[in-house]
Amino acid sequence: MPSFRAPRGTRDLLPAERSAFARLESIASDLATRYGYRAIETPLFEQSAVFERGIGEVTDVVEKELFRVAPRTEEAETWALRPEATAGIVRAYLQHGMHVLPPPVKLHLSGPMFRYDRPQAGRYRQFWQWDVEAIGDGGPAIDAEIVELGARFYREAGLPDVEILLNSIGDPVCRPAYIDTLRAHFQSAADRLPPTERQRLASNPLRLLDSKDPAMADLIATAPRLVDHLCGPCDEHFASVRRHLDGLGVGYRVEPALVRGLDYYTRTAFEFYRRGAEGQQQALGGGGRYDGLVELLGGRPTPGMGFALGLDRVVLALEALGASGAQEPASLVVVVGADPAATLERLRIATLLRADGLHARADLAVRKLGRQLESASRDGAHFAVIVGDELATGDVQLRDLAAGTQRPIPVVDLARELKRAAASHHHGAAGRG
Ligand code: HAM
């Protein structure tokens, strides 16, 4: 029994799963290039205040789920592992004066995020997001562009049936009056509220709308809806986002109870779900507009819009469909030898092939040729290169393991021939499929 395990809520991504993530990251970065987003990296931890101020003090993410880093010295500032990317990206945008760049500044990032939540299926303490942000454009066209980008990601990843839930959560002009109305609604049933919810009623009543407590379901269903209380400009913005989505042929469902778990949102809010899997902890991604965040973190008023997609949940959903998403490694050639002891010759030829871009393995075990060939077949190699006496005149044998045929070939022609064979094998396979 090993005595150490990965911390609760974290996972080792073993090679097959890591490869599924790599495939998603490569789809994401390819899409980012096509849509004009440039990659950025921010630290895995920030001053806690970046999250407290940015995401909001009265949110689950900050109140309960922030992984705080204990400072080693008295004078140290307090840090926290990033629970999401938006606040850190906006901090970097401000720190590096990106407001002088032509707007919108379009950035993307993929990497691990940390939330100290109770682990369960699809909910981890370390998880991966692909995050996309456009800072400096008040929309609504960019809102539609970003929602469409998210939807395209799932399609290209191979997940059909991803639904877009869309809402507008207003802005500082219309939200306060709505929150009063909402507070009055919940106040009328204050004695039925669970204790945390009663607290939230005073501090952040909007949060009550995404309460996970079953005792809240009825009250939430009958609550006044923000979409009915939008001010003129927010209402017009929301209508225009929908017109743009309609015009792009992007389907969505307006979901009036969608409020998102972070405080920085204004106006457009959206989430992605697999059809029929719309429970808590099942969102595949979400985002929205955050027109107040840049100012909250010390900049001039600047609108922003973005999303983050949960890559762990996409991998899980693909696995549930029987499509692991793991990438096929490039086809393998194994270099074997008639003389079991001649490992240097085998290694030298494998090194040549690798330098030429091929996926090659030298059999370095000192064992009979037959055993080396068996092992090459077991590894799924299509070809073996057999090194024998002909090497003295510059030749080796190229063996087609599936067909069981072989022929001599000059070492200098080997890489070209293997590439040609791999290409025709690939076309053949595609033709058959
Ligand atoms: P979020 O809704 O908190 O938004 O997270 C986005 C996605 O990350 C979720 O829909 C989910 O797929 C995934 N996720 C969140 N928590 C976990 C977890 N514990 N385990 C596994 N997956 C998880 C944000 O983070 C915002 N920063 C999105 C955004 C960007 N808004 C504007 N720009």
Side-chain angles (χ1 to χ4, degrees):
M1 264 302 266
S3 36
F4 294 111
R5 306 183 67 84
R8 202 163 115 77
T10 73
R11 296 174 305 150
D12 300 307
L13 301 179
L14 300 183
E17 203 161 15
R18 185 63 188 91
S19 138
F21 273 72
R23 175 178 159 272
L24 295 182
E25 285 166 337
S26 110
I27 292 170
S29 95
D30 179 53
L31 279 170
T33 305
R34 283 190 263 158
Y35 282 70
Y37 289 79
R38 302 197 63 198
I40 184 174
E41 287 290 342
T42 64
L44 298 192
F45 60 98
E46 297 269 355
Q47 284 176 268
S48 313
V50 169
F51 306 123
E52 290 157 353
R53 203 175 301 169
I55 296 168
E57 306 262 9
V58 192
T59 55
D60 279 350
V61 169
V62 167
E63 271 184 334
K64 304 186 206 155
E65 299 169 8
L66 212 51
F67 261 102
R68 293 178 185 278
V69 179
R72 297 176 64 97
T73 57
E74 288 297 320
E75 80 272 23
E77 40 201 354
T78 72
W79 299 302
L81 300 186
R82 63 181 185 195
E84 57 107 49
T86 313
I89 289 177
V90 168
R91 192 268 312 140
Y93 168 91
L94 287 168
Q95 180 177 338
H96 303 286
M98 287 191 247
H99 61 277
V100 303
L101 302 174
V105 175
K106 295 160 89 177
L107 302 167
H108 81 108
L109 173 162
S110 70
M113 308 292 155
F114 305 86
R115 295 184 192 180
Y116 190 78
D117 204 346
R118 196 166 44 80
Q120 52 177 253
R123 188 166 72 190
Y124 307 105
R125 288 179 172 173
Q126 175 175 342
F127 58 96
W128 269 256
Q129 284 186 344
W130 178 41
D131 184 277
V132 162
E133 310 291 354
I135 306 174
D137 183 337
I142 189 107
D143 299 23
E145 183 181 62
I146 285 179
V147 170
E148 190 275 336
L149 167 58
R152 185 171 302 280
F153 172 83
Y154 297 112
R155 264 206 314 283
E156 296 207 352
L159 262 194
D161 289 345
V162 172
E163 277 197 310
I164 301 165
L165 272 48
L166 183 72
N167 195 19
S168 172
I169 59 168
D171 70 1
V173 174
C174 48
R175 203 156 40 199
Y178 168 73
I179 287 177
D180 288 344
T181 315
L182 191 68
R183 188 179 280 121
H185 168 77
F186 287 114
Q187 193 68 55
S188 67
D191 48 331
R192 278 161 50 205
L193 296 183
T196 23
E197 268 63 19
R198 204 169 311 152
Q199 253 170 25
R200 286 273 157 98
L201 181 55
S203 56
N204 195 347
L206 208 54
R207 277 285 83 69
L208 293 179
L209 288 177
D210 67 3
S211 164
K212 295 152 194 172
D213 199 311
M216 297 290 295
D218 279 356
L219 278 173
I220 291 170
T222 54
R225 303 165 359 137
L226 221 167
V227 279
D228 301 327
H229 292 75
L230 296 176
C231 58
C234 283
D235 196 44
E236 173 46 34
H237 183 98
F238 191 37
S240 181
V241 172
R242 293 184 330 247
R243 266 199 308 280
H244 279 83
L245 286 172
D246 295 340
L248 291 175
V250 175
Y252 57 87
R253 197 175 87 215
V254 173
E255 178 49 67
L258 181 87
V259 288
R260 309 280 297 129
L262 316 164
D263 273 358
Y264 49 60
Y265 290 109
T266 52
R267 298 189 166 174
T268 310
F270 59 98
E271 283 177 344
F272 297 101
Y273 288 88
R274 289 211 58 208
R275 202 180 301 281
E278 291 170 20
Q280 295 289 346
Q281 311 312 332
Q282 288 181 307
L284 293 172
R289 181 159 279 291
Y290 48 87
D291 293 345
L293 180 58
V294 175
E295 205 179 352
L296 261 181
L297 293 182
R300 279 186 296 226
T302 309
M305 166 76 187
F307 64 61
L309 312 186
L311 299 186
D312 307 73
R313 292 185 187 173
V314 175
V315 170
L316 282 174
L318 286 170
E319 282 168 359
L321 287 178
S324 79
Q327 284 166 305
E328 290 288 317
S331 78
L332 169 73
V333 48
V334 178
V335 184
V336 298
D339 174 1
T343 48
L344 175 58
E345 275 61 48
R346 305 206 281 278
L347 189 53
R348 202 182 263 153
I349 290 176
T351 305
L352 270 174
L353 297 178
R354 290 160 177 169
D356 235 313
L358 288 153
H359 174 200
R361 171 170 83 71
D363 195 314
L364 298 178
V366 180
R367 55 184 172 181
K368 289 207 178 92
L369 178 60
R371 300 285 305 282
Q372 296 180 44
L373 284 168
E374 278 167 27
S375 144
S377 298
R378 238 190 347 262
D379 282 359
H382 199 73
F383 290 101
V385 172
I386 305 173
V387 185
D389 295 340
E390 313 103 308
L391 192 60
T393 56
D395 284 349
V396 289
Q397 294 283 332
L398 180 58
R399 183 175 180 84
D400 183 324
L401 289 166
T405 56
Q406 70 185 57
R407 61 194 162 89
I409 177 172
V411 171
V412 291
D413 294 339
L414 197 52
R416 194 177 348 109
E417 179 57 22
L418 281 166
K419 283 182 190 168
R420 198 196 55 74
S424 71
H425 175 65
H426 186 76
H427 287 300
R432 280 196 302 277

